[in-house]
Amino acid sequence: MTTGDWIDVSVPLRTGMVHWPDNPPVSIERTQDIELGDVANVSKLSMGAHTGTHMDAPLHFFQKGQGIHTMPLSVGMGLARVIEIRDPESIKPEELRPYQIRRGERVLFKTMNSPRCWQTNDFVEDFVYFSQEAARYLAAQQAQTVGIDYLSVGGFTKDGVETHHALLEAGTWLIEGLNLTNIEPGIYELICHPLKIEDADGAPARAILRSAESTAK
Ligand SMILES: [Zn+2]
């Protein structure tokens, strides 16, 4: 049996796209343009580090935490499990427990965010997030990598700080801003690496998945 094709689960970056309300807007503009007589096209990128599909480093919430450039390559490369969450409000420990997440696992969570939140350039405030209780549960399971399908693992009005603290403190690396619309729950090969920006609190990433079900059986 052949494994499937690679599927892109990252969000395209473009001027005017959605971003966290108090983060910088996204602007991609040509500073040199062949059409205007320049010999080459050159773009200037301006955006927050936590825009689109990106990863969080411990430094995002801890002043002495590690920067994104220190992330072990294995965090973003290897088998990953995609789990589908039904709860329309938040991810809670009760829904997580039956999956028996193990130490070192890479786990990506597909919620209602995927088909709902990426359709608009407006920020969606009531996206599905990890309750702080769920974050503490995942931290205790010692997952290596946790992914979510909107701009934060924590909620907009609650559990933003607590959820990040619990996961980052436990050494779990976070992928945020995934679009898992076309992904069924299951086992996949994951490749997701952030840009190597020195001592950055986060960085944009490209994330791709390929089904590993046929090789796992
Ligand atoms: Zn974050």
Side-chain angles (χ1 to χ4, degrees):
M1 236 180 126
T2 54
T3 47
D5 289 332
W6 288 99
I7 305 166
D8 195 346
V9 289
S10 14
V11 170
L13 295 172
R14 57 185 149 68
T15 300
M17 73 183 288
V18 64
H19 57 87
W20 195 260
D22 67 2
N23 281 198
V26 183
S27 156
I28 301 164
E29 79 183 280
R30 288 259 171 96
T31 55
Q32 290 175 40
D33 198 321
I34 292 171
E35 227 162 62
L36 299 177
D38 294 312
V39 295
N41 293 318
V42 176
S43 297
K44 175 186 170 188
L45 315 179
S46 175
M47 58 189 281
H50 299 265
T51 304
T53 309
H54 68 279
M55 292 195 69
D56 282 6
L59 182 60
H60 188 30
F61 276 84
F62 296 108
Q63 196 54 32
K64 296 204 161 125
Q66 289 172 266
I68 199 73
H69 71 291
T70 68
M71 189 187 96
L73 295 175
S74 62
V75 166
M77 209 162 171
L79 291 181
R81 180 151 54 137
V82 175
I83 290 175
E84 184 157 21
I85 294 295
R86 308 271 168 206
D87 195 313
E89 183 205 30
S90 65
I91 304 170
K92 302 182 176 78
E94 302 75 59
E95 195 170 359
L96 290 182
R97 273 193 203 101
Y99 291 106
Q100 301 189 313
I101 291 157
R102 294 180 301 277
R103 179 188 172 90
E105 256 199 272
R106 303 175 194 85
V107 201
L108 310 180
F109 292 88
K110 178 183 183 180
T111 73
M112 282 173 45
N113 298 339
S114 277
R116 174 176 176 239
C117 299
W118 296 116
Q119 307 300 325
T120 168
N121 287 329
D122 297 326
F123 181 75
V124 176
E125 295 189 3
D126 59 345
F127 64 89
V128 182
Y129 60 95
F130 291 96
S131 70
Q132 56 178 289
E133 295 79 14
R136 282 193 211 102
Y137 172 79
L138 279 177
Q141 300 305 107
Q142 296 197 282
Q144 176 176 202
T145 313
V146 165
I148 186 79
D149 52 0
Y150 201 50
L151 289 169
S152 177
V153 287
F156 181 57
T157 54
K158 62 183 290 200
D159 295 352
V161 174
E162 297 86 348
T163 288
H164 275 94
H165 275 198
L167 289 164
L168 293 171
E169 197 166 40
T172 302
W173 293 82
L174 308 176
I175 310 172
E176 296 172 325
L178 293 167
N179 185 346
L180 299 171
T181 304
N182 298 318
I183 301 294
E184 296 299 319
I187 307 294
Y188 291 82
E189 286 176 74
L190 165 73
I191 298 178
C192 175
H193 286 126
L195 294 179
K196 194 175 181 178
I197 306 174
E198 216 163 48
D199 296 322
D201 40 82
R206 186 77 183 262
I208 59 176
L209 291 174
R210 178 165 73 174
S211 177
E213 297 280 356
S214 55
T215 48
K217 274 171 197 160

